Amino acid sequence: MFRREPEHAGHQTSATRENAVGGLWLLADMSLNIWALSIVKALGLDYSSAQLVFLRALTGLVLILPWIWRASGDFRKPDRLTLHFFRVAASTVALTTSFFAIARLPLALVTAINFTRPILTMVLAVVFLKEMIGPRRWIAAAIAFVGVLIAVSPGSVPFSWGLPAIAMTVLAGTSAVILTRKLADVPLVVMMTFYTAGLAVLVLPLAVVTWVPVRTEHALPLIAIGVCAQCAQFCFLNAHRRAAAAFLAILSYLSLPLSAGVGFFVFGESLSVNFLIGACLIVCASAWTGWRQTRSGKAA
């Protein structure tokens, strides 16, 4: 007689397959983002961050126009416009300050500081979503904060206006995540359209003021920023539709060695001992927070 496999075995196999597919989508997302950010880093001192964000948003909007046309019915009854506005405003600030910082700071440092977002999300969730946070996660937040102080300590990273800019990126980007949670039931195409078109509209005045003529040899790389970023967003959304959030959270930490490698081999950036220690503390604290949250649906 054949031994009957437990019913949950098939479910586990399916979940493993979905995680694998979702993981490939996330790897594509990280790779495309690295390409986009590398171009921003290479050209970020020739053009203002507002101009780069506007061109990125305009390119992305052109790419999703066919999708908007096909899903026009989803736009008939837009609601919660105030939340959409504040989400787009926070995203505009986050992307603009991010582009500014990337042009002035090592890629690995920008990536490491961005890993503090889960910690700040936890804090803001207490204030705006009334979530309960336990003592272990507050300890993780303190460890991550110490990690940032070590990573950017005097002598490790010379002062640059990129440092306050990346701090603003984390704050604004985390606020956008909180607002996105409140809009979780909105159709995907509507969310992407509000985001992409909103970016273009809100950053346009600053882009006009700081605009410089685009050099011919920079035209294709600037378009590539928008193409890579928009395709990365598509890959990111597909990853989170297929795989478990906990699995993707762990896999996302691969972006740190990826960005460090690109920074070292492409831009000649070195990694200090202080940075390595601080980055380890940040990543471990963020990973522990995510692991505790997925293991228990309550405060840890």
Side-chain angles (χ1 to χ4, degrees), residues 32-45:
L32 288 165
N33 266 319
I34 288 291
W35 276 106
L37 296 181
S38 297
I39 299 171
V40 169
K41 186 167 185 63
L43 302 181
L45 296 178

Side-chain angles (χ1 to χ4, degrees), residues 77-277:
K77 294 181 179 180
D79 60 352
R80 290 175 287 178
L81 295 179
T82 302
L83 280 181
H84 278 292
F85 171 79
F86 282 113
R87 171 181 175 264
V88 172
S91 298
T92 302
V93 172
L95 196 58
T96 305
T97 54
S98 174
F99 280 11
F100 181 89
I102 286 164
R104 292 159 176 83
L105 295 173
L107 272 176
L109 179 63
V110 170
T111 304
I113 294 177
N114 266 316
F115 278 136
T116 61
R117 285 193 186 193
I119 304 296
L120 188 56
T121 300
M122 177 191 80
V123 175
L124 293 182
V126 174
V127 178
F128 295 106
L129 302 180
K130 308 302 180 185
E131 294 184 3
M132 297 297 296
I133 303 298
R136 290 192 179 96
R137 289 166 66 191
W138 287 118
I139 294 172
I143 293 172
F145 180 70
V146 171
V148 172
L149 293 180
I150 294 174
V152 301
S153 59
S156 176
V157 180
F159 177 79
S160 160
W161 286 109
L163 290 173
I166 195 61
M168 180 61 71
T169 298
V170 172
L171 180 60
T174 305
S175 300
V177 169
I178 295 293
L179 292 167
T180 300
R181 287 189 186 182
K182 289 182 171 289
L183 295 166
D185 58 332
V186 175
L188 184 60
V189 65
V190 175
M191 292 280 284
M192 291 186 68
T193 302
F194 268 106
Y195 174 79
T196 309
L199 277 178
V201 171
L202 290 183
V203 82
L204 178 59
L206 186 56
V208 170
V209 171
T210 59
W211 193 273
V212 297
V214 175
R215 292 160 56 180
T216 304
E217 64 269 25
H218 291 169
L220 285 178
L222 289 173
I223 292 173
I225 293 173
V227 172
C228 289
Q230 201 68 33
C231 292
Q233 188 180 34
F234 177 78
C235 293
F236 176 84
L237 294 171
N238 271 288
H240 281 268
R241 287 187 172 198
R242 303 293 294 267
F247 172 77
L248 295 179
I250 295 170
L251 190 63
S252 68
Y253 292 111
L254 283 176
S255 62
L256 185 55
L258 283 175
S259 61
V262 171
F264 181 79
F265 290 107
V266 178
F267 298 103
E269 298 171 351
S270 59
L271 302 178
S272 69
V273 174
N274 281 2
F275 167 77
L276 293 173
I277 295 172

Side-chain angles (χ1 to χ4, degrees), residues 37-75:
L37 296 181
S38 297
I39 299 171
V40 169
K41 186 167 185 63
L43 302 181
L45 296 178
D46 296 322
Y47 303 95
S48 72
S49 55
Q51 183 174 350
L52 292 175
V53 171
F54 176 76
L55 292 173
R56 174 257 180 269
L58 191 63
T59 304
L61 190 60
V62 171
L63 285 177
I64 64 173
L65 277 177
W67 189 12
I68 296 172
W69 176 264
R70 290 183 59 186
S72 58
D74 291 332
F75 294 87

